[in-house]
Amino acid sequence: MTSAIPFLDIAAAHQELRNELDAAYARVMRSAWFILGNEVAAFEDEFAAYCTAKYCVGIGNGLDALHLILRALDIGPGDEVLVPSNTFIATWLAVTHAGATPVPIEPIAVTHNIDPALIEAAVTPRTRAIIPVHLYGQPAEMAPIVAAAKYHNLKVIEDAAQAHGATYHGMRTGVLGDAAAFSFYPGKNLGALGDGGAVVTNDSAIAQRVRELSNYGSKQKYVHDHAGYNTRLDELQAAFLRAKLPVLDEWNARRVALADRYMTRLASANLLLPVVTNAAESAWHLFVVRVKERERVMRALTDAGIGVQIHYPIPPGRSAAYAKTNAAAADCALADTLSREVVSLPIGPHLSNEQVDRVCEVLLATLAAS
Ligand SMILES: Cc1ncc(COP(=O)(O)O)c(C=O)c1O
């Protein structure tokens, strides 16, 4: 009996960094300082440097990071924001929470990332920003997105929740637009032991405004300039993230090697493999393939003890949350198709070559039996 292969082995990650994580916890416990202290300040400096950005502001989660960037840019009621039709719903919710309207743009079929060629037709006098998502860890096609944004005077907000350390033309995510939102949800490439997020930017005004909005709209304790929020990265999570940041590149490299292995082993299988463009180096947050007969394929993998997931089974515009909006009526045929065909295979820094080989073996046998 072969042992189960988890979709992502977070326990193994913690085992590898056990001493560092224990020390981080002990430091924060001893300090007895839990909100906005040295750990958060140090992590902000370290993560900004990692992204080659000037500023990083710790936030409570990735959704709030996106939302606060929009608020900092004064984007709100009456404004439209271009978003991918194919993304996790948080990208859309941030726009909705800001009071603006998400306008879906279909993806490029092979990369699943937002299609820059469709921006032009979607821009109206109300359009204020575009949020490219670096989906599955692969940077979106940023050069034409930034060019179109410049031409139409739009802000570019990177949703980098899945793409810590990925690069586009050699530049790290976080500095590819006006500001970027990161998530440190536990399963991310850089994951906390709870919720966490950050805004990264080279724009001091955005950084300052986001910082105030995240902390009750105040620069100075008990002085409130804006009707802000309480959404801050906490000291304990920052300390854990400081323990993990030094290994992020190494762990991403392990993901790259495993993705290459999948690509080689599955090259002639009857499925669509991920495609990474020349300009991009993916952080391989997810390894997503497209298959016909998804149910049968997923059942075979699950029966063999292999953890698989779907990212995502329902496009945001098809969710009940958006049923009463114009987005529900938008033609998002490609997002619909992807939602029916995508399967995410196990990937992560603690998956072995042998485990990848086993996944491929089961997958190839299943596809051959159709
Ligand atoms: C593409 C994308 N955007 C935004 C988010 C929101 O991040 P969080 O879960 O930290 O709020 C996530 C992850 O959950 C995501 O995958």
Side-chain angles (χ1 to χ4, degrees):
M1 164 93 192
T2 42
S3 52
I5 301 176
F7 181 71
L8 177 68
D9 195 348
I10 295 181
H14 293 164
Q15 198 51 41
E16 183 181 327
L17 290 180
R18 190 175 172 159
N19 292 340
E20 291 83 350
L21 293 168
D22 283 348
Y25 165 72
R27 237 175 24 242
V28 175
M29 185 183 63
R30 265 198 314 273
S31 79
W33 191 279
F34 301 107
I35 305 292
L36 296 182
N38 295 337
E39 297 290 341
V40 170
F43 175 72
E44 287 176 345
D45 286 349
E46 289 158 11
F47 194 60
Y50 178 84
C51 296
T52 71
K54 286 192 186 143
Y55 309 101
C56 168
V57 182
I59 301 292
N61 56 69
L63 169 59
D64 287 352
L66 280 170
H67 174 217
L68 293 199
I69 294 170
L70 291 160
R71 290 289 318 269
L73 293 168
D74 284 322
I75 292 171
D79 295 332
E80 292 175 355
V81 177
L82 308 181
V83 294
S85 58
N86 180 50
T87 180
F88 180 57
I89 197 167
T91 318
W92 287 48
L93 291 178
V95 177
T96 303
H97 293 334
T101 303
V103 175
I105 307 258
E106 284 272 79
I108 299 171
V110 291
T111 66
H112 303 200
N113 267 332
I114 196 165
D115 187 345
L118 304 177
I119 294 174
E120 186 70 30
V123 171
T124 75
R126 292 165 179 260
T127 314
R128 295 279 319 279
I130 178 164
I131 311 184
V133 178
H134 307 315
L135 202 64
Y136 316 146
Q138 171 169 203
E141 202 53 70
M142 293 301 287
I145 293 171
V146 169
K150 199 169 167 199
Y151 190 75
H152 293 289
N153 200 20
L154 313 179
K155 296 293 182 186
V156 178
I157 302 165
E158 293 175 76
D159 182 338
Q162 303 186 358
H164 319 70
T167 63
Y168 179 78
H169 285 300
M171 282 167 73
R172 281 255 160 88
T173 56
V175 293
L176 303 174
D178 293 285
F182 286 87
S183 164
F184 305 122
Y185 179 80
K188 301 297 198 229
N189 289 32
L190 179 61
L193 276 65
D195 274 316
V199 170
V200 168
T201 181
N202 280 327
D203 185 322
S204 63
I206 294 177
Q208 182 58 34
R209 192 83 192 280
V210 164
R211 193 176 288 290
E212 291 169 24
L213 285 167
S214 73
N215 188 29
Y216 300 110
S218 96
K219 268 201 278 285
Q220 192 188 331
K221 202 163 187 183
Y222 302 132
V223 180
H224 303 276
D225 300 329
H226 318 282
Y229 304 86
N230 171 9
T231 176
R232 307 165 298 207
L233 184 66
D234 68 61
E235 285 285 289
L236 193 53
Q237 297 308 333
F240 290 142
L241 290 166
R242 292 184 71 203
K244 286 184 156 188
L245 183 57
V247 298
L248 177 57
D249 282 345
E250 188 199 322
W251 286 10
N252 277 351
R254 291 192 214 167
R255 290 173 179 269
V256 170
L258 295 168
D260 284 349
R261 197 171 182 94
Y262 270 128
M263 294 287 206
T264 309
R265 299 267 180 301
L266 298 175
S268 53
N270 183 23
L271 49 69
L272 288 177
L273 285 167
V275 171
V276 179
T277 63
N278 287 338
E281 267 188 39
S282 178
W284 290 108
H285 174 57
L286 296 171
F287 190 91
V288 177
V289 297
R290 274 176 72 180
V291 291
K292 297 271 166 58
E293 295 189 87
R294 180 173 65 186
E295 249 184 65
R296 191 175 69 81
V297 169
M298 286 188 75
R299 202 174 323 113
L301 289 162
T302 308
D303 288 350
I306 296 166
V308 284
Q309 294 191 12
I310 299 172
H311 298 92
Y312 297 91
I314 305 172
R318 301 286 181 248
S319 302
Y322 285 96
K324 295 199 177 82
T325 69
N326 288 343
D331 176 10
C332 293
L334 192 47
D336 289 335
T337 303
L338 294 176
S339 72
R340 284 192 297 269
E341 297 186 2
V342 290
V343 183
S344 305
L345 304 179
I347 193 162
H350 299 87
L351 191 73
S352 68
N353 286 343
E354 294 67 35
Q355 286 176 314
V356 168
D357 293 350
R358 168 93 187 117
V359 175
C360 294
E361 202 180 289
V362 175
L363 188 52
L364 289 168
T366 308
L367 293 168
S370 62

